[in-house]
Amino acid sequence: MKTISCMNIDEEQLYSSGGEVKQYKKGELVYREGDHALYYFQIKEGKVKLNNYDDEGKEFIHNIFGGKQSFGDSMLFLDKFYPTNAVCIAPAEIIRVPKDRFLELIKKHPHLSLEMNACLSQRLYFKAIMLQNIASLNPISRLTGLLDYLKSYHDDSCGSCFQIELTRQQIANLVGLRVETVIRALKKMEKEGNITIENRKIVY
């Protein structure tokens, strides 16, 4: 099953532009909400979630990224602070390139700028889809919207065989539901034949 990556720049190009590899432990912050954007980040291995918390301490996950994907890119073009945290949800190796060197890189290679525009457009699409589904009061509609979006980034030639690599809690935080509600909705979806559960993994 082929994953369609978002921004994935050749690693040698990143190293030649001052990139360095940093090791992170599970649970370690890459950056914190309110920090200045100083680097371009691209994941070699591991997973990173973008999140923040409301006044009551409830977590909301904005997105989850894996190997050969980048995150926090859009803030490199704005004089703003990060609106989210970036937290490793698995041990990770991440290439980071200083902002000024990264901007020089995409100026020298216009095709990278076009790829970045496509990447940012994908993320705007994700936001639009998620906002539309979160507005629904129907938990199954919210979950179906998320599953459709995640599956759209994969080769679906095998039909209903896409495995969701997220925990129930991560899914709940992505769609703004309680984990108990997600579990009940998933059971109903399984009963109706919309998904299958294999070794606790959701297959869609």
Side-chain angles (χ1 to χ4, degrees), residues 38-52:
L38 300 176
Y39 297 95
Y40 167 83
F41 296 100
Q42 184 167 297
I43 303 168
K44 280 176 65 71
E45 293 183 13
K47 288 186 179 180
V48 174
K49 67 179 178 182
L50 303 187
N51 76 345
N52 53 20

Side-chain angles (χ1 to χ4, degrees), residues 61-86:
I61 296 177
H62 295 263
N63 217 327
I64 294 176
F65 300 101
K68 301 188 182 303
Q69 290 185 310
S70 60
F71 58 94
D73 315 8
S74 60
M75 302 309 297
L76 296 172
F77 303 95
L78 301 171
D79 187 21
K80 302 286 185 182
F81 301 108
Y82 285 119
T84 66
N85 306 298

Side-chain angles (χ1 to χ4, degrees), residues 6-7 73 77 106 110-125:
C6 198
M7 198 63 189
D73 315 8
F77 303 95
I106 61 174
H111 72 280
L112 294 179
S113 183
L114 290 174
E115 288 177 20
M116 177 158 281
N117 286 337
C119 177
L120 297 178
S121 295
Q122 288 177 355
R123 292 177 186 167
L124 286 172
Y125 173 72

Side-chain angles (χ1 to χ4, degrees), residues 137-145 147 168 171-172 175 177-197 202 204:
L137 297 178
N138 185 336
I140 290 179
S141 293
R142 294 193 190 190
L143 291 172
T144 301
L147 299 183
R168 306 299 192 268
I171 291 171
V175 297
L177 293 170
R178 293 170 57 86
V179 68
E180 296 83 2
T181 304
V182 167
I183 291 169
R184 286 195 298 271
L186 289 173
K187 286 180 179 177
K188 185 174 181 181
M189 292 173 73
E190 182 183 27
K191 185 177 180 180
E192 293 174 350
N194 296 318
I195 62 170
T196 56
I197 307 293
I202 302 162
Y204 183 58

